[in-house]
Amino acid sequence: MSQEVSHVYFVPGMAADVSIFEYIKLPKDKFVTQTLPWKIPNKNESIEDYAKRMCEEIEHKNCILIGVSFGGVMVQEMSKYLSLKKLVIISSVKNKFELPTRIKIARKTKAYKLLPTAIVSKIDNWEKLAFGDFAKKRAAMYQKYLSINDKRYLDWAIENMVCWNQEKTPDNLVHIHGDKDIVFPISNIKNCITVDGGTHVMIVNRARWFNKNLPEIISDNLR
């Protein structure tokens, strides 16, 4: 009798292309993986309505949702309309209380509205803005993975990240977080699986850790 496979859907981080998951390889006899790219939001679309549109791409019941960074926020919103086996977030937050102080200040002052997303959306060569070998390598990575540069999307995503209002963490959520994450410092994070030396982009540069540990993490106590 063949073993039942679990369907896994990945949602990338803010403005990121689904290619951030290119190095994640789960056992094919246990998992079938798919990626969900970002959609351009409708005018004045709520995060709830956007999440419902993302759910339209889910083809299987009782699947597993995995989201990175803002994608972690999105899969939590999507989970409100789906029956899931498992919900996993990586390099993200579980509620508004885990957001860092600078984001809370940006929300209060509405400083996020001043971000030059119109300029960012027109940048076609990040490496020209970088100085030094390390910066150039990082810029090249941004150039490769941060490909969603539509201004409407950027404005919408930034506002919904900064102003995310969730207070109650979803039941049975699994949170994987790096102890060197400077976007969402681990000092604000509770109840997570900690990746030593993991940064905010560890889904890319620590793929080996995920390939080793993720199958067991998402198979543990499947509901």
Side-chain angles (χ1 to χ4, degrees):
M1 184 175 180
S2 61
Q3 180 180 10
E4 181 183 358
V5 298
S6 296
H7 291 271
V8 183
Y9 290 84
F10 290 95
V11 179
M14 183 184 295
D17 184 78
V18 295
S19 60
I20 69 166
F21 301 113
E22 65 181 328
Y23 301 118
I24 303 301
K25 308 296 182 184
L26 301 181
K28 292 183 178 180
D29 61 327
K30 296 181 180 179
F31 305 101
V32 175
T33 61
Q34 293 178 247
T35 54
L36 298 178
W38 291 111
K39 300 173 180 288
I40 303 303
N42 296 322
K43 186 176 181 180
N44 299 321
E45 186 170 22
S46 67
I47 194 170
E48 293 83 7
D49 286 343
Y50 188 96
K52 290 177 184 177
R53 284 208 292 137
M54 291 288 281
C55 288
E56 293 173 0
E57 306 302 320
I58 302 294
E59 301 175 350
H60 305 90
K61 295 181 179 179
N62 297 316
C63 63
I64 297 163
L65 281 186
I66 301 178
V68 175
S69 192
F70 182 56
V73 168
M74 183 52 57
V75 296
Q76 290 177 75
E77 291 295 328
M78 292 170 65
S79 74
K80 299 172 183 177
Y81 311 105
L82 298 168
S83 176
L84 301 175
K85 279 186 178 181
K86 181 83 74 171
L87 178 62
V88 181
I89 65 172
I90 299 168
S91 306
S92 189
V93 294
K94 299 184 287 294
N95 50 62
K96 68 178 185 179
F97 307 112
E98 292 188 337
L99 291 169
T101 300
R102 65 180 181 277
I103 289 184
K104 294 176 181 177
I105 292 173
R107 174 177 180 165
K108 187 174 182 179
T109 61
K110 298 189 183 301
Y112 63 89
K113 291 182 177 291
L114 302 177
L115 292 173
T117 52
I119 296 174
V120 172
S121 67
K122 292 180 172 59
I123 295 176
D124 59 5
N125 192 338
W126 287 82
E127 292 186 71
K128 290 181 179 178
L129 304 180
F131 298 92
D133 291 340
F134 178 76
K136 287 186 181 298
K137 289 179 181 178
R138 177 168 293 184
M141 183 174 68
Y142 290 166
Q143 180 81 34
K144 179 177 180 180
Y145 295 116
L146 298 184
S147 62
I148 315 301
N149 58 7
D150 180 89
K151 183 182 186 303
R152 180 188 291 183
Y153 168 82
L154 292 173
D155 288 339
W156 178 88
I158 291 169
E159 180 169 13
N160 279 283
M161 182 73 256
V162 172
C163 299
W164 194 46
N165 212 32
Q166 177 163 285
E167 295 185 357
K168 185 179 183 300
T169 300
D171 295 334
N172 300 315
L173 178 148
V174 177
H175 188 171
I176 305 172
H177 211 84
D179 63 359
K180 302 299 182 185
D181 192 317
I182 62 173
V183 176
F184 299 127
I186 200 167
S187 57
N188 298 322
I189 305 298
K190 298 180 180 179
N191 303 320
C192 70
I193 297 171
T194 303
V195 179
D196 293 337
T199 66
H200 195 66
V201 295
M202 63 183 180
I203 193 67
V204 175
N205 58 26
R206 294 293 299 277
R208 187 175 298 177
W209 185 96
F210 285 96
N211 290 338
K212 178 182 178 180
N213 295 281
L214 200 53
E216 181 178 353
I217 290 171
I218 61 182
S219 296
D220 183 42
N221 297 321
L222 282 178
R223 52 190 169 101

